[in-house]
Every structure is written in structure tokens, then in C-alpha cells.
């Protein structure tokens, strides 16, 4: 990345192209990614609500962009939002306006991240391994009872979702009665197809529900992250405001289960569609950790993540992104960039030597929950295929309906037959 005066002339050509209109339905994301990469590693796009933005699609360019000190996360740098040009109920508003780690810069980001980082150390995560395995086994015990008369069961609903939701809820001290509602509300907020009124109502309700969680943990503290955050706020109120506390919980709930839910779903789908790759794992030629890393690269659970903002006009791959413009991080596109991964970038290969990817972020905002997500997915996959070695998709992969979002990347359901 360079300052504007050094930008290659290709930037001028890029700006003459009509912006790509992002499809809120999330259909055909990998085909879209291929077309966008052909236009360049950074391209202008139009978001729902006619909001102009850019997407960084190239692996090398995205890696550099995510660590550039001239790129900010706080919405004070989002020019259209500050000037009132973003419509009310905008489906992507929560990504810009929630108060927490994902929208903080500099010292504020380090302060907020430091408050929760102890819950996600390698040692702390490893201590959760027995509990994750226990939850996975319990869900697998119940799985056959969830099957239809023809033996079909939605693995996403009955296994890939309740496992990470159960883990993050226990970590945060969220009552089981609230989990399904929080999942529904987070789904509305991360969907790019939600109607404005639905977004406004969901945002209001999820804040109210999480405020209830805070009140419950304040009244009866436990050995959970919410109780620890409440204690930190009450010991030193300057360290964490009430709004930041609720915003942090919102981030933990959404990121703590949606990403892993998509990761498990995408991994099972890929293995079922590529039985030779599953055979390599069973033969010991690759590990379940290898499956997780290749899935993260090949079919990232997050496709285009909002938002970052250049604080000055910035050249990315020959394209100048104006200061204050919202930028999407194209994780699913970067994962299949042939310039990084070669001609077989679009091939699912669990033995791939180059395991680099950006699907869990890079730089200061690298996903705090990455060790937990990786562990949950590896445990889930190993347990699932050990219990049901003949598991297979109940419908052709091409008939699966994508999530209605270009932020999340997965399918609405994952119908499988446990016996193959």
C-alpha cells in the first residue's frame, strides 16, 4: 500500500468501472469473488441502502490493509454515516455502531481487548476441551431422534449450532432459556437481507436481553466472563462503560457462535462433497486440525466483513480508496486468491502445505476466540464422523440455500442422512 501520489495508473481505470452491487441474498459468493478479483484486489461496491463502499479481495492486499495504521475501525471515520447519508434501519448498521472491540481503535481497543483476553488464552481454552467434548457427545446422542421419517436431519440446527452456542453461553453465564432468542436476533443483525424495521427491533431487543444477562450476573456473580466484566466495571468504572459492557457481550455472542456454526457446517459439507479428502483423514494422512484450517481457507465462515475506514486517501493494489469510505474485508475471496495459493486455489485439499489464511482476521483485530473456534470445530468433526462414518448429504450440494448475507458464508440448513 502506498500514499496516493505513488498509486499506479490502474487506479484511475478501476474508478471508471461501475461499482459492483453486493447481493444481500448471499447467492453464489465464490463466483462473485472470482469476478471481483478479476477486476482487481480492491474494487468499488454498492451496499444495501445505496451506500458506496470498497471491498478488498486479494490476499496480499488484504493482509497489508488489515495492519495499515492509516486504517481505522471507529465509525467517527465513516463519512456517510457522520453526514447522515446512511438510511435508518440500515442492515449493516450494527457492524459500524456497536460499542466494543470491533469498532475501537488504539488505546480504547487495547483496553477493551485486555478485559476479555484472559478468557481466551490457550491454557483457558484448553481447559474447556472436556466440556466441549461432553456437549458434542450429548448432541450426537440426541441427533437420531431429530431425524425425519426418511432419516434426514438438519445437522446445522441440531449439531453445528447448539455446540458453539452452548459453549459461549456457558462461558458468558447466559441462561439456556435465552440462547435460542439470542441466536435468532443475532441472525437478523448479521443478515444483509433484513428489513429496516426488523433490524431496528432486533437491535433494541438484543440490547434488552443482554442487559438482563448483566443484571442477573450482577445480582448473582459466577465463574463466567460476564461476572468478571461486571466486576471490572464496578471496581474501576472508567475502564468499561455500561454501553461497552453490553456491546462486548453482543460481540461475544454473535462472533462466539455464528462463526463456529458456519465453520462446522462448511467443513461437513466440504468433506461430504469430497469423500477422498475424508478418506485421507481417516487414513491418518491429515488431521482434523488440517480439515479446520483448509475449511477456513477454502470456504471462510465470514465472507465480507464490515467495516474499516481509511483515515486518508489510500492506494490499495492500484485503486485509491477515498478517506472515510467503508471497506469490506473479503475473507472468502482472499482464501481462494490464485496469486497466493496457485492454480488449485479453488480446490479443497486437506493436505495443502500452505495453511496461511486470513479468515480469522489479522493484526490488532485478530479474532480473540480463534483458539476456541478451532478447538470446537476439530472436536465436533472428529466426534461426528466417528459416530456416523456413513454420514452423507441428503440433497445435492448445489441445492443447498445460502445464508441471506454476504457477511456470513454458509447455508441455511445442512440436511444429512446419518447412515449415508
Amino acid at each position: 500500500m502506498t500514499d496516493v501520489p505513488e498509486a499506479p495508473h490502474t487506479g484511475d481505470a478501476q474508478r471508471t468501472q461501475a461499482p459492483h452491487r453486493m447481493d444481500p441474498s448471499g447467492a453464489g459468493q465464490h463466483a462473485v469473488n472470482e469476478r471481483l478479483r478479476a477486476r482487481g484486489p480492491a474494487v468499488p461496491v454498492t451496499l444495501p441502502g445505496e451506500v458506496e463502499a470498497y471491498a478488498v479481495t486479494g490476499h496480499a492486499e488484504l493482509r497489508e490493509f488489515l495492519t495499515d495504521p492509516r486504517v481505522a475501525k471507529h465509525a467517527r471515520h465513516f463519512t456517510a454515516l457522520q453526514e447522515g447519508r446512511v438510511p435508518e434501519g440500515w442492515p449493516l448498521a450494527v457492524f459500524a455502531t456497536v460499542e466494543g472491540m470491533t469498532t475501537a481503535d488504539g488505546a480504547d481497543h487495547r483496553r477493551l481487548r485486555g478485559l476479555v483476553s484472559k478468557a481466551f488464552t490457550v491454557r483457558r481454552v484448553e481447559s474447556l476441551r472436556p466440556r466441549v467434548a461432553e456437549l458434542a457427545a450429548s448432541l450426537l446422542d440426541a441427533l437420531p431422534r431429530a431425524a425425519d421419517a426418511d432419516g434426514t436431519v438438519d445437522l446445522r440446527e441440531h449439531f453445528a449450532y447448539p455446540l458453539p452456542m452452548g459453549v459461549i453461553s456457558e462461558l458468558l453465564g447466559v441462561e439456556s432459556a435465552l440462547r435460542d432468542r439470542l441466536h435468532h436476533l443475532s441472525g437478523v443483525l448479521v443478515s444483509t437481507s433484513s428489513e429496516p424495521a426488523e433490524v431496528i427491533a432486533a437491535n433494541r431487543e438484543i440490547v434488552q436481553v443482554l442487559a438482563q444477562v448483566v443484571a442477573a450476573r450482577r445480582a448473582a456473580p459466577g465463574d463466567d466472563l460476564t461476572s468478571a466484566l461486571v466486576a471490572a466495571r464496578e471496581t474501576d468504572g472508567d475502564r468499561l462503560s455500561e454501553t461497552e459492557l453490553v456491546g462486548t457481550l453482543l460481540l461475544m455472542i454473535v462472533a462466539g457462535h455464528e462463526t463456529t456454526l458456519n465453520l462446522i457446517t462448511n467443513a461437513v459439507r466440504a468433506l461430504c462433497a469430497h469423500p477422498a479428502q475424508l478418506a485421507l483423514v481417516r487414513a491418518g494422512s491429515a488431521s482434523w486440525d488440517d480439515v479446520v484450517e483448509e475449511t477456513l481457507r477454502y470456504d471462510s465462515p465470514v465472507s465480507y466483513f464490515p467495516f474499516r475506514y481509511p483515515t486518508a486517501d489510500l492506494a490499495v493494489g492500484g485503486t485509491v480508496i477515498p478517506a472515510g469510505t467503508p471497506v469490506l474485508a473479503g475473507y472468502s475471496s482472499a482464501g481462494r486468491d490464485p496469486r497466493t495459493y496457485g492454480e488449485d486455489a479453488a480446490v479443497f485439499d486437506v493436505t495443502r502445505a500452505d495453511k496461511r489464511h486470513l479468515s480469522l482476521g489479522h493484526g490488532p483485530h485478530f479474532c480473540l476466540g480463534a483458539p476456541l473456534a478451532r478447538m470446537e470445530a476439530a472436536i465436533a468433526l472428529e466426534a461426528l464422523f466417528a459416530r456416523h462414518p456413513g454420514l452423507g448429504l441428503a440433497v445435492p450440494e448445489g441445492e443447498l440455500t445460502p445464508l441471506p448475507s454476504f457477511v456470513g458464508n454458509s447455508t441455511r440448513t445442512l440436511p444429512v442422512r446419518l447412515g449415508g
Side-chain angles (χ1 to χ4, degrees):
M1 247 169 282
T2 63
D3 291 319
V4 173
E6 301 176 18
H9 293 299
T10 52
D12 294 331
Q14 176 67 64
R15 287 196 298 273
T16 64
Q17 298 185 55
H20 169 79
R21 188 171 293 275
M22 299 297 288
D23 184 354
S25 75
Q29 288 199 30
H30 288 297
V32 170
N33 293 344
E34 189 172 348
R35 293 197 296 271
L36 291 182
R37 283 196 305 271
R39 292 181 56 172
V43 296
V45 299
T46 300
L47 303 176
E50 302 304 307
V51 175
E52 297 304 316
Y54 277 76
V56 180
T57 63
H59 183 281
E61 291 77 11
L62 181 57
R63 181 181 174 89
E64 187 175 355
F65 181 80
L66 294 175
T67 57
D68 195 303
R70 297 165 294 179
V71 176
K73 290 281 283 179
H74 197 280
R76 70 170 63 94
H77 301 285
F78 187 170
T79 300
L81 182 67
Q82 297 304 319
E83 293 179 352
R85 293 188 281 115
V86 173
E88 185 179 5
W90 190 45
L92 296 168
V94 67
F95 295 101
T97 59
V98 64
E99 292 195 37
M101 288 182 294
T102 60
T103 56
D105 296 308
D108 275 344
H109 175 252
R110 290 189 292 273
R111 171 177 59 89
L112 293 167
R113 191 176 177 95
L115 287 169
V116 300
S117 61
K118 292 180 180 179
F120 295 99
T121 63
V122 173
R123 177 178 295 181
R124 172 65 170 141
V125 168
E126 193 59 30
S127 73
L128 297 174
R129 181 177 292 275
R131 180 55 181 152
V132 174
E134 181 183 7
L135 283 172
S138 176
L139 291 168
L140 289 172
D141 288 343
L143 201 55
R145 297 193 295 274
D148 295 339
D150 66 354
T152 300
V153 61
D154 182 358
L155 197 72
R156 181 177 175 88
E157 178 182 356
H158 295 286
F159 184 67
Y161 153 61
L163 178 62
M165 189 60 170
V167 173
I168 195 64
S169 294
E170 290 185 7
L171 194 61
L172 293 176
V174 175
E175 298 176 20
S176 57
L178 298 176
R179 295 173 189 176
D180 286 347
R181 190 60 189 163
L182 286 170
H183 172 60
H184 168 75
L185 294 170
S186 70
V188 172
L189 295 178
V190 302
S191 172
T192 50
S193 300
S194 300
E195 294 296 327
E198 191 180 14
V199 173
I200 293 170
N203 190 65
R204 183 184 301 116
E205 185 178 351
I206 200 168
V207 168
Q208 292 172 346
V209 173
L210 292 173
Q212 293 175 26
V213 173
V214 170
R217 298 283 67 79
R218 184 173 279 128
D223 183 22
D224 55 76
L225 181 56
T226 302
S227 297
L229 292 174
V230 169
R233 166 167 165 69
E234 295 181 350
T235 300
D236 184 354
D238 291 335
R239 295 191 66 202
L240 190 69
S241 70
E242 192 75 10
T243 303
E244 288 173 334
L245 173 56
V246 172
T248 297
L249 293 184
L250 192 157
L251 165 65
M252 293 292 101
I253 284 289
V254 175
H257 88 279
E258 292 281 356
T259 301
T260 310
L261 160 59
N262 290 349
L263 172 57
I264 295 171
T265 302
N266 293 357
V268 173
R269 192 172 82 246
L271 289 169
C272 289
H274 301 85
Q277 295 296 305
L278 178 57
L280 289 172
V281 180
R282 286 176 166 153
S285 299
S287 69
W288 292 108
D289 289 336
D290 291 329
V291 173
V292 170
E293 295 310 308
E294 178 63 352
T295 303
L296 286 166
R297 181 205 69 83
Y298 169 80
D299 207 8
S300 172
V302 176
S303 195
Y304 285 91
F305 192 76
F307 289 114
R308 284 172 169 80
Y309 319 95
T311 57
D313 290 0
L314 194 64
V316 180
T319 296
V320 176
I321 303 178
T325 305
V327 179
L328 302 171
Y331 294 126
S332 65
S333 176
R336 295 194 185 187
D337 187 345
R339 294 177 306 146
T340 295
Y341 299 104
E343 294 181 357
D344 67 343
V347 174
F348 181 69
D349 179 6
V350 296
T351 65
R352 186 180 299 274
D354 186 354
K355 300 188 184 304
R356 294 175 298 163
H357 62 77
L358 301 171
S359 292
L360 295 170
H362 180 63
H365 287 272
F366 179 77
C367 177
L368 259 181
L372 181 59
R374 284 173 158 133
M375 183 185 73
E376 287 179 281
I379 289 174
L381 294 169
E382 182 174 14
L384 173 66
F385 284 98
R387 185 78 68 94
H388 300 289
L391 182 142
L393 294 179
V395 299
E397 186 183 15
E399 295 182 9
L400 295 172
T401 304
L403 287 178
S405 175
F406 56 75
V407 176
N409 174 44
S410 193
T411 57
R412 285 179 182 263
T413 62
L414 188 65
V416 301
R417 288 194 177 93
L418 301 180

